[in-house]
Amino acid sequence: MRLGRLNHVGIAVSAMAEARARYAALFGEGAVGEPIDLPAQGVTACFVRAGDSEIELIAPLGTESPLAAFLQKAPAGGQHHLCFEVESVAEAVAALRAEGKRVLGEPRPGAHGTLVAFVHPKDMGGVLTEIMEAPDAHG
Ligand code: CO
C-alpha cells in the first residue's frame, strides 16, 4: 500500500469566521475559499491555498460532529489530520484493511467531490490519516 502526494493538512477550528480571517492575514484574502457544509462528515470545511498545497479548516457541523470531542480536549483547535492522495480509495481501503489497519466507516464524498476515507490514528503512528482520490485523477 503506497500513499501519494500530501494533498492537505486538516486543522480543527472552533470558530470558522475567526479562523478564515487569521488565514487570510497569513496567506492573503484570495487564498481563502468559501466554507462548505459537509453534513455526511459533520463538519464545515474551508480550504486555504498555501503555495502548492492546501490547509483544510474544519469546524463542527451539527450536534453529532466527530470534531466535538477533539475541540473539547483542545478548545483552541489544532492539527487534526493529514490527507494523502491515492488513485483509488476503494483499492486503498481494501489494502489497508488487509494490512490490519482500521478504516473508519466506508468511503464517502469529501470536500473536493471525490471519495475519501479515514484511517485510525492508532494504526498510523498517532496521525489521523485521510486518503482521497485526487480531483483530477479521473479526468
Ligand atoms: Co481533509
Side-chain angles (χ1 to χ4, degrees):
M1 174 62 231
R2 290 279 185 276
L3 300 177
R5 171 180 177 270
L6 175 66
N7 181 278
H8 64 263
V9 176
I11 305 284
V13 304
S14 50
M16 183 58 85
E18 189 187 315
R20 289 178 79 238
R22 180 181 312 114
Y23 279 84
L26 290 169
F27 292 97
E29 295 279 349
V32 180
E34 291 301 316
I36 315 156
D37 287 347
L38 299 171
Q41 299 189 28
V43 301
T44 298
C46 176
F47 282 90
V48 178
R49 181 138 285 284
D52 285 345
S53 196
E54 285 190 313
I55 290 165
E56 178 189 32
L57 306 174
I58 43 175
L61 175 67
T63 51
E64 304 289 300
S65 176
L67 275 187
F70 184 99
L71 288 170
Q72 220 155 31
K73 280 186 234 163
Q79 187 181 319
H80 182 262
H81 66 270
L82 298 181
C83 178
F84 298 96
E85 295 174 359
V86 295
E87 274 188 29
S88 160
V89 163
E91 283 174 22
V93 164
L96 289 161
R97 285 189 168 141
E99 292 172 5
K101 295 183 170 67
R102 283 161 283 188
V103 177
L104 306 171
E106 293 306 315
R108 53 195 177 278
H112 291 293
T114 64
L115 286 178
V116 307
F118 285 87
V119 190
H120 200 292
K122 283 187 176 158
D123 296 326
M124 297 298 283
V127 179
L128 176 60
T129 302
E130 178 181 14
I131 55 175
M132 71 176 284
E133 290 177 13
D136 54 2
H138 300 289

